[in-house]
Amino acid sequence: MTAPQGARILIVDDEPQIRKLLKVTLQAHQFEIHECADGEEAVIQASMVHPDLIVLDLGLPGMSGMDVLERIREWSHVPVIVLTAKDREEDKIAALDGGADDYVTKPFGMGELVARIRVALRHVAKTTDEPVLRFGPLTIDLAQRQVDLDGSPVKLTPTEYEMLKVLATHAGKIITQRQLLQQVWGGHHHESDSHYLRVYVGHLRKKLQEDPTRPRFIQTEPGIGYRFLLQD
């Protein structure tokens, strides 16, 4: 499954050199590019241009990138990839919990960024309204709550199924530990309960016949959370 060509991308960065590099490279990949250098203009353009994806710097003049993300998330689910020099784990978690779909730190490789853009766009194209999700040999029937691997049923506990459902319906996107705890266990959890996640992810990996050192479906993002891998 490939990302749609001609997708509209809004670049928000106050560094002219970065905007130029991104524009030239992404246009060469057949993307339509719009750009701006500050937070206030980013919110305006996001509402007028209706981009398919936003590449957002956090260190913007005036309105910060986090504030831009918060404003946009009030009315839009457009994929947002944060591109920033801030590489602290706390910054990554805050951005992802705030609604970012991915996080890339500067300096960055253009090949990696383009790949992450394509993943985010493929995730949007693969709507979560589909009753059946397919990832290579893995099939998840959301209506029947049925999971099959290589044509054979996989027996999951209700909690294991809910965790797999959350990860799979957000395939390609990093889901933080906090987001998983909230969506699987609701409000009945504490931040210290992250050990539950490791236990259940370990159970899931065994049932999906996955080697955790070479993940086929569930990739660990150390200190942050997990990412369900899209299958080509």
Side-chain angles (χ1 to χ4, degrees):
M1 184 184 301
T2 58
Q5 287 192 343
R8 190 178 300 114
I9 296 178
L10 174 61
I11 300 168
V12 186
D13 199 299
D14 63 331
E15 297 184 57
Q17 302 92 332
I18 294 291
R19 294 200 309 275
K20 182 177 180 180
L21 171 64
L22 291 173
K23 182 176 182 178
V24 170
T25 304
L26 295 177
Q27 283 182 334
H29 284 83
Q30 309 303 312
F31 294 115
E32 177 185 331
I33 303 302
H34 298 262
E35 59 179 292
C36 59
D38 63 76
E40 289 83 357
E41 181 64 22
V43 174
I44 294 172
Q45 285 213 36
S47 64
M48 295 179 62
V49 173
H50 299 294
D52 298 300
L53 181 140
I54 298 174
V55 177
L56 175 66
D57 184 18
L58 293 184
L60 299 172
M63 183 186 295
S64 72
M66 285 299 297
D67 288 338
V68 171
L69 181 60
E70 181 179 357
R71 290 278 297 276
I72 290 174
R73 281 292 174 257
E74 291 175 357
W75 53 271
S76 174
H77 296 291
V78 60
V80 176
I81 296 180
V82 166
L83 180 64
T84 180
K86 296 183 178 182
D87 60 357
R88 297 186 310 164
E89 188 175 289
E90 309 92 273
D91 294 320
K92 296 179 182 180
I93 293 172
L96 293 164
D97 279 341
D101 293 80
D102 211 337
Y103 196 106
V104 179
T105 54
K106 300 175 182 178
F108 61 96
M110 276 304 308
E112 177 188 0
L113 180 61
V114 170
R116 290 182 183 246
I117 287 172
R118 292 193 184 282
V119 165
L121 290 171
R122 288 206 306 271
H123 173 238
V124 173
K126 187 182 183 71
T127 66
T128 57
D129 292 332
E130 294 180 4
V132 179
L133 302 178
R134 293 182 174 85
F135 303 94
L138 181 67
T139 301
I140 305 170
D141 188 324
L142 299 178
Q144 300 296 323
R145 295 176 65 88
Q146 174 70 40
V147 179
D148 293 289
L149 180 64
D150 292 319
S152 299
V154 180
K155 294 183 179 180
L156 301 178
T157 67
T159 300
E160 289 168 352
Y161 174 81
E162 288 302 323
M163 179 174 286
L164 179 62
K165 177 182 175 182
V166 171
L167 290 168
T169 54
H170 295 85
K173 176 179 178 178
I174 298 175
I175 302 296
T176 65
Q177 294 177 358
R178 178 182 175 187
Q179 289 169 331
L180 262 179
L181 286 167
Q182 288 179 337
Q183 294 190 48
V184 176
W185 280 275
H188 308 292
H189 72 85
H190 302 282
E191 296 302 319
S192 61
D193 289 341
S194 59
H195 65 279
Y196 287 140
L197 300 180
R198 291 192 294 273
V199 171
Y200 279 100
V201 167
H203 290 168
L204 268 178
R205 281 177 166 153
K206 287 181 181 178
K207 292 184 177 183
L208 297 178
Q209 303 172 17
E210 181 171 69
D211 179 356
T213 63
R214 302 179 63 184
R216 181 167 53 157
F217 300 112
I218 304 171
Q219 176 176 292
T220 300
E221 298 288 344
I224 299 174
Y226 301 92
R227 186 199 306 262
F228 197 88
L229 301 175
L230 284 166
Q231 311 290 307
D232 293 324

